[in-house]
């Protein structure tokens, strides 16, 4: 399996010049582009709340992957009580990013 583009990834909302949503890597290279491909009423592209939610979930992918590896390691070597609080804070931050609450 090849390696993915390193995080963090961020969401760049649409503008007049780019009428789609970009998910960019820290190197400012595009990781994903979200655009409407179906013109249902002939009025042009319309990005929905779901499109924006998908972009934020995609942008959180490297953090979620890192967290999955950390959980796997925790099952092998349980964390101390102090590190549990730090990890809970990190989990909340990743969930906030995925849900665009950051």
């Amino acid at each position: 399996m090849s390696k993915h583009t390193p995080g963090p990834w961020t969401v760049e909302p649409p503008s007049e010049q780019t009428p789609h949503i970009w998910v960019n890597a820290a190197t400012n290279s595009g990781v994903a582009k979200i655009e409407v491909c179906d013109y249902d009423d002939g009025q042009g592209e319309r990005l929905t709340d779901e499109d924006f939610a998908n972009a934020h979930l995609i942008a959180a992918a490297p953090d979620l992957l890192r967290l999955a590896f950390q959980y796997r390691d925790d099952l092998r070597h349980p964390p101390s009580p102090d590190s549990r609080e730090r990890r809970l804070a990190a989990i909340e931050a990743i969930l906030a990013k995925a849900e665009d609450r950051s």
Side-chain angles (χ1 to χ4, degrees), residues 18-24 30-37 45 55 58:
T18 58
H20 41 262
I21 305 167
W22 278 104
V23 177
N24 291 323
V31 174
K33 178 174 142 181
I34 299 172
E35 61 185 334
V36 177
C37 296
E45 296 183 6
I58 292 167

Side-chain angles (χ1 to χ4, degrees), residues 66-96:
R66 182 176 41 79
L67 188 63
F69 281 120
Q70 188 169 1
Y71 267 114
R72 181 198 62 192
D73 294 343
D74 286 352
L75 291 172
R76 292 179 181 157
H77 308 284
S80 67
D82 175 54
S83 67
R84 284 189 188 122
E85 289 303 315
R86 287 193 316 262
R87 289 177 181 170
L88 283 172
I91 291 167
E92 183 55 39
I94 292 168
L95 291 173

Side-chain angles (χ1 to χ4, degrees), residues 10-11 13 49 52-57 59-60 92-102:
T10 56
V11 174
D49 289 343
F52 285 93
N54 290 340
H56 286 283
L57 183 58
E92 183 55 39
I94 292 168
L95 291 173
K97 180 178 181 178
E99 296 179 336
D100 192 27
R101 294 185 283 124
S102 50

